Amino acid sequence: MLRLHQHSAPALSDNVMHWEAPAAGWIKINTDGSRNTSTSLASCGGVGRDSESRWCFGFAKGIGSCSCLEAEFWGIYEGLATAWSLRYLRVIIETDNREAYETIVSSNSRKVGSSILPSIFELLSRSWEVQVGFVRREGNVVADAISRLVLPNSLEYRRWLEISLAVRDLVMADGIHAAPSGTQLPIQRAYDDLGVR
């Protein structure tokens, strides 16, 4: 049975908030959209990590021309779709876009004119537990960076099952450890790493 938790968005402050690991048995997916204001071309991306701060997956997708809000919705959709395809059934998904967050958890969310929203709601209706949350930008830096790893006009989709070299330093700076203490940090081998060109 779906549990869509409607958390109150935290009050904004000047304090820097870092990424926080989810409870045991859950993964947390941080998502973000990126849009070039001069071309209107956008991309999205995100990263899933577990209760021990270990990298579960990352993804990035070129979207083409769309609004900032639509890019955020695409990030949320791709994050949920990736988690479902990898059979994670207890998921927290976070966005740093307050409007996207409020749209999804509000009772009027289906009235927003977005082509991808129906697909988000369909994913949320499946047999899994999903919590939707809002996070400050300071706690979303890895998702922001990974959303820029594809060309926005390419309509390309990339997935990393091991940590991408392009965001490894940000993952560390985000205050998390991509691997348990004493083990070697995993490097992306299963997919082409966009950070090496």
Side-chain angles (χ1 to χ4, degrees):
M1 190 62 123
L2 169 73
R3 291 196 317 177
L4 178 58
H5 294 253
Q6 299 185 16
H7 299 301
S8 297
L12 297 178
S13 71
D14 292 332
N15 296 326
V16 174
M17 294 184 180
H18 295 287
W19 184 85
E20 295 181 357
W26 291 75
I27 69 161
K28 180 181 284 187
I29 307 166
N30 289 86
T31 67
D32 202 12
S34 176
R35 180 175 178 269
N36 186 308
T37 55
S38 61
T39 65
S40 297
L41 296 175
S43 58
C44 67
V47 56
R49 292 167 281 191
D50 68 11
S51 61
E52 296 183 25
S53 302
R54 290 176 297 201
W55 180 283
C56 298
F57 62 83
F59 66 90
K61 176 182 175 64
I63 303 169
S65 180
C66 72
S67 68
C68 292
L69 183 59
E70 188 79 353
E72 298 288 346
F73 287 144
W74 269 103
I76 293 167
Y77 167 77
E78 293 292 351
L80 291 171
T82 302
W84 179 265
S85 71
L86 295 174
R87 300 185 179 183
Y88 292 108
L89 298 179
R90 304 182 79 189
V91 171
I92 300 167
I93 190 155
E94 290 185 337
T95 176
D96 62 9
N97 184 286
R98 188 181 294 273
E99 186 177 359
Y101 162 76
E102 291 177 349
T103 297
I104 290 173
V105 300
S106 72
S107 59
N108 295 323
S109 56
R110 294 178 189 270
K111 296 182 179 179
V112 174
S114 167
S115 63
I116 199 62
L117 264 180
S119 297
I120 292 174
F121 292 127
E122 191 279 323
L123 280 166
L124 291 172
S125 72
R126 297 181 184 181
S127 297
W128 58 340
E129 294 180 86
V130 179
Q131 297 181 12
V132 178
F134 174 85
V135 64
R136 286 176 56 92
R137 284 188 173 186
E138 292 85 353
N140 211 40
V141 293
V142 177
D144 175 67
I146 207 168
S147 72
R148 303 168 193 272
L149 293 184
V150 292
L151 296 174
N153 63 344
S154 67
L155 305 182
E156 177 183 25
Y157 176 81
R158 292 286 184 110
R159 181 189 292 180
W160 296 265
L161 295 182
E162 295 183 35
I163 192 168
S164 168
L165 286 171
V167 296
R168 181 178 60 179
D169 290 344
L170 282 175
V171 168
M172 301 302 289
D174 204 18
I176 63 168
H177 302 284
S181 178
T183 63
Q184 185 177 4
L185 190 68
I187 302 300
Q188 167 60 21
R189 293 186 182 93
Y191 296 87
D192 291 336
D193 195 299
L194 290 172
V196 180
R197 295 189 179 183

